[in-house]
Amino acid sequence: MPPGYRHTVLVVEDEAPIRQLLVTTLAAEGFLVHEAGSATEALAAAAARRIDLFLVDLGLPDLDGQLLVRRLRASCQRPIIVLSARSNEADKVAALDAGADDYLVKPFSVPELHARLRASLRRATRNDSGQQLRIGEVLVDLDAMTVTRAGTPVQLTATQWRLLTVLAKSANRVVTSQALLRDVWGPHQVEQGHYLRIYMRQLRQKLEADATQPRYLLTEPGLGYRLVIDP
């Protein structure tokens, strides 16, 4: 982004006091903030201007927030952070599967929200750089379908490549285990979690400096996996 660029955040929250708190604190941090009290208003705002990051509550009056996340993700790749009082694992998995980048349970601290927002924007800036991803000494070229480690080609099986590709296309975002199983092995294998564990271990052995203490191919307990890429 050019020097002095101010990121634009859209706050989608139907409870006016919470929405106003978010608008005020984000504006104080230097963000340009727009607000929406419903999914309809959010979709209209997203269509009318560039939004760099979406903060979305799940309990909206006109459409479930998960459906809004899915519609936003279908039209753009900007970060989406879900803010919700729903704290159970199933809701978190569903929101991430719908396309959310992060999930923050209410009540939350404002400093934590700001930190997660800044981290999501940093990751989005990195992802905009192209189809070559750096993972430590490893360079993944999605267009050329090649992987090198310190300049030496790394041989992956077809399944290992599919798994790495799915993670790479959502780099720095949590990809749920169900989504990985569906996209790599097919819709009838979503309960075969042992497949995923075996192939993740194989990828770590080939790509990580220490497969027992991974820095890039991370497990998100109860949710899935995240591929962390370097700037």
Side-chain angles (χ1 to χ4, degrees), residues 148-199:
T148 57
R149 183 171 185 171
T152 302
V154 176
Q155 299 300 319
L156 299 182
T157 68
T159 301
Q160 289 168 355
W161 174 255
R162 287 199 302 273
L163 177 57
L164 180 59
T165 298
V166 174
L167 288 166
K169 288 182 176 179
S170 295
N172 296 310
R173 290 171 49 199
V174 177
V175 184
T176 65
S177 297
Q178 293 93 329
L180 287 168
L181 287 164
R182 181 187 65 239
D183 293 347
V184 177
W185 284 275
H188 301 299
Q189 305 296 332
V190 294
E191 301 300 327
Q192 306 301 321
H194 62 286
Y195 290 175
L196 190 51
R197 290 189 291 273
I198 290 170
Y199 278 89

Side-chain angles (χ1 to χ4, degrees), residues 2 8 23 28 45 56 91 98 101 104 118 132 134 136 156 167 172 177 183 194 201-202 206 214:
T8 300
V23 170
V56 178
D91 282 315
D101 296 270
L104 196 56
R118 290 191 297 268
Q132 287 191 341
R134 184 161 294 281
L156 299 182
L167 288 166
N172 296 310
S177 297
D183 293 347
H194 62 286
R201 183 168 65 248
Q202 293 173 354
K206 292 187 175 184

Side-chain angles (χ1 to χ4, degrees), residues 57-152:
D57 176 50
L58 293 184
L60 299 173
D62 55 342
L63 187 71
D64 187 81
Q66 290 177 6
L67 293 176
L68 174 60
V69 169
R70 196 175 299 278
R71 292 188 184 182
L72 290 172
R73 181 57 69 222
S75 61
C76 77
Q77 294 301 310
R78 309 314 302 167
I80 302 171
I81 299 177
V82 166
L83 308 175
S84 177
R86 305 176 193 175
S87 60
N88 66 75
E89 182 178 298
D91 282 315
K92 294 179 182 179
V93 169
L96 292 166
D97 269 346
D101 296 270
D102 204 350
Y103 193 109
L104 196 56
V105 176
K106 298 176 182 178
F108 50 81
S109 74
V110 171
E112 181 183 4
L113 172 63
H114 290 172
R116 293 201 188 199
L117 188 149
R118 290 191 297 268
S120 291
L121 288 171
R122 284 196 302 270
R123 291 193 293 263
T125 300
R126 294 171 188 171
N127 291 352
D128 286 344
S129 62
Q131 294 300 299
Q132 287 191 341
L133 309 179
R134 184 161 294 281
I135 313 167
E137 292 185 326
V138 174
L139 182 65
V140 180
D141 191 322
L142 296 177
D143 290 333
M145 298 180 65
T146 60
V147 180
T148 57
R149 183 171 185 171
T152 302

Side-chain angles (χ1 to χ4, degrees), residues 32 49 111 212 229:
L32 292 174
R49 59 181 62 86
T212 64
I229 63 172

